[in-house]
Amino acid sequence: MLVLWLDEPACQQVALTGGKAASLSRLAAQHPVPPAFCLTTEAYRRWRAEEHRSDVPRDVRAAIAAAYQALAQRRTAPPLPVAVRSSAVGEDGRSASFAGQYATYLNVRDLDGVLDAVYRCWTSMDGDQVRAYHQHHGGETSECPMAVLVQQLIPADVAFVAFSRHPVTGARDEVIISANWGLGESIVNGSVVPDTYLVRKLDCTVIDRAVAEKQRMTVLRDTGVQEINVPRMMRNQISLSDQQAAAIGRLVTELEADLGYPVDVEGAYLGDTLFLLQCRPISTLS
C-alpha cells in the first residue's frame, strides 16, 4: 500500500503513515483539516531497498502522480499548490516532537516538484542533525521509517501557533496564541515578534492581547515562499479579531479534551475560515 488518504481509517496507523499524518487523519473527520494524501512508509522502504537511491522508484512515482491528480480534482484544476511534509514514525510523539528536524516544502505546484520534494524528505532522514536528534532520544533513524504528507496548501491571510497549556509554566486554564500575517513559517522560525492572545478555556473569552509591531511575514511566490517585510500600514494592526481568537481557543480546548493530553496546534485563517494544519503533544512539559 503506497498511498492512503486522510479520510481512510488505515491512515490512522502510525506504522504506515507516521505520527503527523496519523494524527491529522484521526482529527480530519471532526475538524477543518485540508485534504491530503500520505505516501506510506512502504514507499520509503522500497526506496531504501534500491541499490542506487538517486530517484523515486518507478511504481512509487506512478502512485504519487495518480494521487496528486486526484487531489487536484477534488478542489480545482491542476496545478494545485501543496505542502509536502515529512511524517516519520515517532514524529510528533509525546516524548519527542522532532519539530524542525525534517524537510518541509511549501507551495509546490506541479508533479515534478512533488516528486523532488518527496525525495528530499526521504533523504533528510540521513542528515547529521536528524541522526543526532534520534540518538539523543535513544533511537536510530533506521527504526523510524518516513511517510510523506502531501496536502492542499492554504494561502493563509493569518497563521497561528497555539498551546493548550503554557509551555513554560504549565498553566492549564488558558490557551496561548501567537499570530502573524501570512503563512506560519515566520512564527515557527522565530523571525517575527507575533501578536499574542490569552483565551480563558472555561468560556473561550479573550482575556488579554498584545499587538506587536510585526516586521516580517512569509508569503507565496510563483513557486515556493519568501519572507518579506510586512507592509507598514499592517505592522501595528491586530492580526486576529477576538472572535477568531475565541474560535481558536475552542478548537484547541476541544483537541486537548479529545486527545487527552496538552496540545501544540498550528493553523490558519483564510478569510473567515479556520483551518487546522498540525496538532501534536507539547513534549516539553514534565
Side-chain angles (χ1 to χ4, degrees):
M1 188 177 300
L2 297 176
V3 168
L4 288 168
W5 293 85
L6 283 190
D7 53 8
E8 294 184 87
C11 195
Q12 299 178 25
Q13 298 179 35
V14 174
L16 285 175
T17 60
K20 184 177 297 175
S23 174
L24 283 177
S25 179
R26 288 191 292 270
L27 299 173
Q30 297 181 329
H31 299 286
V33 177
F37 66 88
C38 184
L39 192 64
T40 67
T41 53
E42 171 60 24
Y44 174 78
R45 289 190 177 95
R46 292 190 189 186
W47 172 72
R48 295 290 297 189
E50 293 202 338
E51 183 177 356
H52 301 290
R53 298 193 297 270
S54 60
D55 204 352
V56 178
R58 182 176 299 178
D59 56 343
V60 179
R61 291 172 67 91
I64 295 172
Y68 178 64
Q69 183 178 26
L71 180 62
Q73 290 173 345
R74 287 188 176 198
R75 293 295 175 183
T76 184
L80 173 73
V82 294
V84 182
R85 303 180 187 272
S86 69
S87 182
V89 173
E91 189 174 358
D92 288 359
R94 297 184 68 173
S95 61
S97 70
F98 290 86
Q101 299 300 311
Y102 299 119
T104 293
Y105 299 93
L106 301 177
N107 196 25
V108 182
R109 301 183 65 87
D110 57 33
L111 177 59
D112 286 342
V114 172
L115 292 169
D116 181 64
V118 167
Y119 176 77
R120 291 176 181 271
C121 282
W122 285 342
T123 58
S124 71
M125 183 69 84
D126 294 324
D128 292 340
Q129 179 176 318
V130 172
R131 288 184 179 277
Y133 191 95
H134 275 275
Q135 291 168 1
H136 177 74
H137 289 277
E140 296 291 338
T141 55
S142 60
E143 300 167 359
C144 297
M146 180 180 285
V148 179
L149 185 69
V150 180
Q151 187 168 39
Q152 180 188 347
L153 181 70
I154 301 302
D157 296 315
V158 180
F160 65 86
V161 174
F163 295 90
S164 66
R165 294 190 192 175
H166 196 292
V168 177
T169 68
R172 299 166 179 259
D173 56 349
E174 297 166 352
V175 172
I176 302 166
I177 304 168
S178 300
N180 188 33
W181 305 116
L183 304 183
E185 274 51 43
S186 62
I187 305 173
V188 174
N189 67 24
S191 65
V192 70
V193 177
D195 294 339
T196 57
Y197 306 78
L198 288 181
V199 178
R200 186 167 54 216
K201 285 183 180 178
L202 181 63
D203 55 7
C204 290
T205 297
V206 177
I207 58 175
D208 195 16
R209 69 191 65 75
V211 182
E213 185 176 354
K214 299 170 288 295
Q215 297 284 342
R216 303 287 283 173
M217 64 189 292
T218 306
V219 298
L220 301 179
R221 289 306 187 209
D222 290 342
T223 58
V225 298
Q226 182 180 357
E227 191 170 285
I228 65 170
N229 291 327
V230 174
R232 190 171 298 277
M233 63 180 293
M234 296 172 60
R235 290 180 185 177
N236 293 299
Q237 288 183 8
I238 195 163
S239 55
L240 292 172
S241 69
D242 280 6
Q243 292 79 9
Q244 289 174 321
I248 294 169
R250 283 191 293 273
L251 173 64
V252 172
T253 302
E254 290 171 4
L255 289 168
E256 181 181 56
D258 291 347
L259 296 172
Y261 50 74
V263 292
D264 167 1
V265 173
E266 294 179 26
Y269 268 99
L270 178 59
D272 293 326
T273 303
L274 171 62
F275 291 94
L276 171 63
L277 303 180
Q278 186 163 295
C279 179
R280 59 189 173 212
I282 304 177
S283 60
T284 55
L285 294 176
S286 59

